[in-house]
Amino acid sequence: MTVAQLEVAGSTSRLKVESSMKQSERQVRRFQTSQLPTTSLLLTKSLYPTESLPIITTLDVSSGHYPTRSSISSVQKSASSIEDELHSESESHQANAKQESGEGGTTSDFVKKLYRMLEETDTVNIVSWGPKGDCFIVKDMNEFTKSVLPRIFKHSNFASFVRQLNKYDFHKVKNSDDSQSGEQSWTFRHPEFRADRPHSLENIKRKVATSRKPPVVPYVSPAPQGPPVEYIRTIESLQAQVDHLTRAHDDMADRLRSMETNYKEVLNEMVNFQRDLGQHDLLVQNLIQHFLQVDQVMNADRMSQHALPNQNTTSTSPFFENPNTTDSFFPEQGGATLSVDDFMSDVSGGPLNIDASKDGSSFSLRTIEPPSRPDSVLTRLITSGMPPTPLAEVCPGSAFNAMLGGAASRKPEPTPSWSTTPRILVAEDDQVNRNLCTKYIQDYGCSVDLAFDGASAVNKMNIEKFDLVFMDTAMPKLEGCSATSMIRQFNRVTPIVAITSNTKPSHVMTYFTAGMNDVLEKPFSKEEVLEVLEKHLSHLKSTSTRIPSETNIRYSTMDKPSGLFPNMPLKRPWEETVATAGNPVLEKRGRY
Amino acid sequence: METFEQILELDEDSESYDFAWEMASAYMDQAETTFEEMEEAIAKGECKKLSSLGHFLKGSSATLGVTKVQNSCELIQHYGDLRDIKTGKILTSDVALSKISAVLKEAKEQYKEAEIWLRKWYSEAKAQGRITEENEDD
């Protein structure tokens, strides 16, 4: 009689008794379990695979004949606790084994145990069939866990039992009204699990196996490659994918971090670069300024050496060949030229010099011998149809101005210097300094707007356009450096010159760092203000402005000719607009 | 008063000293106000404010060339920062305040000299008719 048949027989008739040694051993164990319920059932792992638990219960059911206690010790060997997992393992193993042997009766051990448990009469107040036999009720969960579970299922974990039930597709049924023990009771149902139909137990199958853990493999190994192996493979491949993705994700995070770092570095580099560029620009500007000055000095020297002989031979100068220009030029020039004559004769007292300066009109032209310049002046003269005014301003006016040098203030004629009136913002809280600075700047033909503190300077810069800013470093509300930093956020172009009494290199560095372009040390002289204006407003100069600065250099040490223009209208230049500022030439021409 | 001469030059074109006087009177107003503020600050023990007031009057004094006042104001500025520039030491605020009081006294005397000079110059200029504006002469 095969085991399977026996099992079936056992479950149906519960009368057959196997006499094999194994069975008796199990009987002993069964005995032990029932007699010593407090001892948790111990099984050796070696026994486990071949064990046929249902038979034990069969024997149990067919109770009465318990073997002698002597055999207990032979059964009891090394032990280990049995877990839920192992239960299912053993069962599936057994199922596999049975399938392998090609014998029928595939009723699950678990289901059989379950059925047999319900057939027992001594536990009827703990667990029993439902009233209709279509479900079973665990009436006292605590008692069930304590006594029935260890005895039948060899563990004492109710949750595990429920899980097992679920695996076999048993479902917990909500407590019905007739349930005797209320909350404590658990009712489970399976459509095929009925008290009156033990045969249909075969139809109760484990649900499709869920994933198993790799350690299970050894228990399955005797069986041919079944689904578990495939699952394991799937799991392994999934695991590999997860690992791969995790790695990829980590890589990406690293990448991102390094890119963020790079980005920050690039930003810093850009800021530094910008700063360097600003300083570089300044340097270039200074260099250009310097070269221009050197150039002018050289030109001036050359002129002073060769001007006189050249003068007469250069009658080919386009100026003199063009009647239109000379016409428009000389009449207006007259007064001024005369003045020059007077002046020069005063200074040098020689007729030769007078001759030289008699060409006052061409004086400035000669100094600009490089071909481009006379051309451009000429072209402007002839083609652009500009009114004679600018030219008159441009040449003799500026020449005078320059020659008068330190007395420039006498003639507040800024007009020749600028192609358009530069607009200057003076931010200074000290009234004295502000007045002085304003006066100087206005004398040089620039229009001035004032800010009394840093905050209003920022506001004005935001609203209006200026060509240059003089910024005191120590001001209320917002000091100069902070104001400059703020201005630089929306205006990177307009030159800002620090007015400060503190010109230590370290401080000057902070000015430049804040975005200032130059420093004017307090107390400043008029010349220093002019220097700053010329340096930063060179782009606004009219083409002939080189001459005044050149002649300035040469004549600035001259005595100030006083009373040169006795008829000059007495006007306070800072009250004048640039266009009408008391340029003697303009004034005179105005009377024509 | 070298620098002041330079300012006077600015007025030469007009033969009036209006601008120079404007500057001078602005300076005098400023100096007097600043001295008052300094006294207040000393009373309140506000060293930082004293430093900035010193810096402020230093600037305008330098502009007009009132060198003595300028130097005193510079001292006040540094004492206000709790620095003794002569010894390079750091001062406690009490020491600084007492030093400032002393310097302020000097500065006021120095300023008085300058003011007398400026007013004298003003009255001369006015006598010459070179002051055309009606300035408040207090």
Side-chain angles (χ1 to χ4, degrees), chain A residues 406 409-412 428-433 435-437 439-440 443 472-474 500-502 504 522-527 560 568-575, chain B residues 3 6-7 9-16 18-19 22-30 55-65 70 77-78 83 132-133:
Chain A
S409 57
R410 287 206 66 83
K411 269 184 302 114
E428 164 72 272
D429 60 320
D430 172 1
Q431 194 195 345
V432 174
N433 259 321
N435 284 0
L436 189 65
C437 191
K439 169 107 167 82
Y440 286 159
D443 279 1
D472 187 19
T473 49
T500 180
S501 55
N502 197 342
K504 279 187 206 154
K522 273 199 277 194
F524 44 83
S525 69
K526 192 166 184 179
E527 283 72 30
K560 274 179 284 173
M568 200 179 82
L570 299 178
K571 286 191 177 171
R572 295 217 310 284
W574 61 94
E575 290 178 355
Chain B
T3 320
Q6 198 190 11
I7 292 169
E9 287 171 13
L10 288 173
D11 271 333
E12 280 189 358
D13 60 323
S14 65
E15 293 193 358
S16 88
D18 286 348
F19 178 74
E22 195 187 316
M23 294 286 289
S25 57
Y27 171 69
M28 290 189 285
D29 285 350
Q30 204 178 74
H55 176 80
F56 181 70
L57 192 57
K58 180 184 79 173
S60 47
S61 300
T63 303
L64 284 205
Q70 176 194 344
Q77 181 189 348
H78 290 303
R83 271 184 304 168
T132 57
E133 282 183 6

Side-chain angles (χ1 to χ4, degrees), chain A residues 293-578:
Chain A
Q293 282 172 3
V294 169
D295 191 38
Q296 284 157 11
V297 171
M298 282 171 64
N299 274 344
D301 289 348
R302 200 154 35 121
M303 188 205 71
S304 62
Q305 286 166 12
H306 305 293
L308 302 183
N310 281 352
Q311 180 51 41
N312 292 328
T313 52
T314 50
S315 56
T316 52
S317 162
F319 257 97
F320 299 98
E321 289 178 337
N322 189 324
N324 287 339
T325 13
T326 45
D327 280 352
S328 65
F329 202 55
F330 280 119
E332 291 157 8
Q333 186 68 13
T337 312
L338 257 179
S339 311
V340 172
D341 289 350
D342 293 346
F343 171 46
M344 291 304 272
S345 58
D346 273 356
V347 170
S348 48
L352 198 91
N353 281 334
I354 293 175
D355 282 346
S357 60
K358 241 174 189 155
D359 286 314
S361 56
S362 60
F363 177 81
S364 55
L365 287 174
R366 258 185 286 114
T367 61
I368 44 174
E369 272 179 18
S372 60
R373 256 193 230 155
D375 281 353
S376 63
V377 174
L378 239 197
T379 339
R380 276 210 307 156
L381 251 182
I382 302 165
T383 59
S384 69
M386 274 177 80
T389 320
L391 186 71
E393 293 166 18
V394 162
C395 297
S398 53
F400 288 146
N401 181 33
M403 278 191 285
L404 296 179
S409 57
R410 287 206 66 83
K411 269 184 302 114
E413 62 55 61
T415 15
S417 303
W418 313 111
S419 54
T420 56
T421 308
R423 302 199 56 211
I424 316 281
L425 177 65
V426 176
E428 164 72 272
D429 60 320
D430 172 1
Q431 194 195 345
V432 174
N433 259 321
R434 194 170 57 225
N435 284 0
L436 189 65
C437 191
T438 307
K439 169 107 167 82
Y440 286 159
I441 295 168
Q442 283 173 334
D443 279 1
Y444 287 122
C446 308
S447 74
V448 175
D449 200 347
L450 299 172
F452 295 180
D453 58 59
S456 65
V458 175
N459 275 340
K460 293 216 173 197
M461 284 299 286
N462 207 2
I463 297 165
E464 293 171 61
K465 187 195 166 296
F466 294 96
D467 299 304
L468 181 64
V469 181
F470 285 95
M471 177 86 73
D472 187 19
T473 49
M475 281 188 290
K477 287 191 185 166
L478 200 62
E479 49 88 27
C481 285
S482 310
T484 303
S485 301
M486 288 179 72
I487 291 168
R488 284 292 177 243
Q489 288 179 13
F490 56 84
N491 179 329
R492 313 199 66 86
V493 190
T494 310
I496 298 179
V497 179
I499 306 178
T500 180
S501 55
N502 197 342
T503 51
K504 279 187 206 154
S506 59
H507 283 89
V508 172
M509 270 317 290
T510 49
Y511 306 151
F512 281 101
T513 311
M516 290 176 169
N517 308 76
D518 208 343
V519 175
L520 180 62
E521 186 176 5
K522 273 199 277 194
F524 44 83
S525 69
K526 192 166 184 179
E527 283 72 30
E528 283 164 343
V529 173
L530 176 64
E531 236 171 70
V532 171
L533 291 176
E534 295 216 316
K535 182 163 153 190
H536 294 284
L537 300 174
S538 53
H539 58 290
L540 294 177
K541 284 181 175 178
S542 56
T543 43
S544 62
T545 47
R546 301 288 187 269
I547 299 133
S549 55
E550 167 251 310
T551 42
N552 206 358
I553 290 161
R554 293 182 59 220
Y555 292 105
S556 56
T557 52
M558 267 186 191
D559 293 336
K560 274 179 284 173
S562 54
L564 250 185
F565 305 106
N567 296 327
M568 200 179 82
L570 299 178
K571 286 191 177 171
R572 295 217 310 284
W574 61 94
E575 290 178 355
E576 309 264 359
T577 63
V578 176

